[in-house]
């Protein structure tokens, strides 16, 4: 009986911790609205954007991430295809404005990029996670201290969503492996 109680307690504790991690929103969920200022000073409102057409919302880790830069460049290259389908692209990052400028310089991105200062958007969309102490040490060894750069060690899973005009999620790519991103052709098929 004592062993069973310990096992049940362990499962309960693990499930509580699992709920705090990134889980992603699902197809059919109502996308959490946000209104924020983008990197050029425009006010971006998901609710307003969906009135015009579908919206591609992507979360990226930062200009320091070569996978993020490559993906943002691919999105930028495909932007005419998104526009032809009357879709808007918005990127969300925990990076402060000066780092966003570096990302724009590297990727030539012309779409809106939002600094999620308090991580509220990342948390609402269930993509936020705190890097483990071991990973923090590893990144510091590479010369990257996110605590100094952005104020904490919180990052988003680099997820991509397509939001319909009704505000519901129609496409999700969520993979905790930051090297795997949504294929542009798959996003375009959902527009």
């Amino acid at each position: 009986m004592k062993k069973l109680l310990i096992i049940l307690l362990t499962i309960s504790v693990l499930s509580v911790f699992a709920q705090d991690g990134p889980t992603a929103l699902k197809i059919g969920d109502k996308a959490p609205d946000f209104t924020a200022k983008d990197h050029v000073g425009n006010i971006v409102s998901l609710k307003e954007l969906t009135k015009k057409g579908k919206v591609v919302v992507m979360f990226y880790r930062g200009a320091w991430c070569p996978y993020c830069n490559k993906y943002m460049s691919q999105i930028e290259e495909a932007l005419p295809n998104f526009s032809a389908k009357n879709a808007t692209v918005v990127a969300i990052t925990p990076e402060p404005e000066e780092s966003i400028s570096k990302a724009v310089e590297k990727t030539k991105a012309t779409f809106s990029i939002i600094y999620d200062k308090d991580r509220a958007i990342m948390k609402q969309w269930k993509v936020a996670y705190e890097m483990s102490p071991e990973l923090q040490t590893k990144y510091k060894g590479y010369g990257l201290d996110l605590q100094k750069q952005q104020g904490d060690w919180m990052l988003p899973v680099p997820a991509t969503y397509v939001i319909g005009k009704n505000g519901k999620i129609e496409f999700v790519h969520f993979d905790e492996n930051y090297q795997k991103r949504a294929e542009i052709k798959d996003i375009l098929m959902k527009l």
Side-chain angles (χ1 to χ4, degrees):
M1 183 66 173
K2 192 174 183 179
K3 278 186 178 181
L4 180 61
L5 186 59
I6 290 172
I7 291 171
L8 290 174
L9 269 169
T10 303
I11 290 171
S12 296
V13 169
L14 290 176
S15 67
V16 166
F17 286 126
Q19 290 173 1
D20 292 336
T23 58
L25 299 171
K26 308 290 183 228
I27 291 174
D29 287 351
K30 181 83 171 154
D33 190 24
F34 58 81
T35 300
K37 195 179 290 187
D38 73 7
H39 68 292
V40 293
N42 296 321
I43 300 299
V44 178
S45 163
L46 181 61
K47 185 176 182 178
E48 291 302 312
L49 290 176
T50 56
K51 289 178 182 178
K52 301 174 194 171
K54 293 187 180 185
V55 180
V56 177
V57 177
M58 62 170 274
F59 292 86
Y60 81 94
R61 297 162 5 124
W64 51 268
C65 172
Y67 297 96
C68 293
N69 293 329
K70 180 180 177 187
Y71 192 61
M72 286 182 60
S73 293
Q74 291 171 345
I75 294 283
E76 179 61 31
E77 287 174 20
L79 210 51
N81 298 324
F82 292 117
S83 296
K85 293 183 175 256
N86 203 33
T88 305
V89 175
V90 177
I92 301 169
T93 183
E95 281 198 305
E97 289 88 349
E98 57 273 6
S99 295
I100 291 174
S101 296
K102 291 176 188 172
V104 169
E105 188 178 307
K106 289 178 182 181
T107 65
K108 310 298 184 233
T110 58
F111 48 86
S112 288
I113 303 172
I114 295 171
Y115 167 41
D116 190 8
K117 182 179 180 180
D118 298 323
R119 316 305 184 248
I121 300 169
M122 292 175 5
K123 289 174 184 174
Q124 283 183 312
W125 286 67
K126 300 183 180 182
V127 297
Y129 71 96
E130 188 83 21
M131 288 178 86
S132 69
E134 298 79 23
L135 205 50
Q136 291 175 27
T137 301
K138 184 177 180 180
Y139 274 54
K140 283 180 185 176
Y142 298 143
L144 181 64
D145 188 340
L146 294 179
Q147 180 70 41
K148 287 181 183 173
Q149 183 177 329
Q150 67 183 37
D152 61 23
W153 287 94
M154 188 169 288
L155 290 174
V157 170
T160 304
Y161 296 89
V162 172
I163 313 308
K165 288 186 79 170
N166 61 0
K168 293 199 174 183
I169 297 170
E170 297 181 355
F171 171 85
V172 176
H173 181 271
F174 179 91
D175 193 324
E176 292 185 38
N177 180 346
Y178 62 87
Q179 298 175 3
K180 296 181 181 177
R181 307 298 170 102
E183 295 287 332
I184 302 298
K185 64 179 176 52
D186 294 338
I187 300 169
L188 288 169
M189 284 185 353
K190 293 297 181 180
L191 298 178

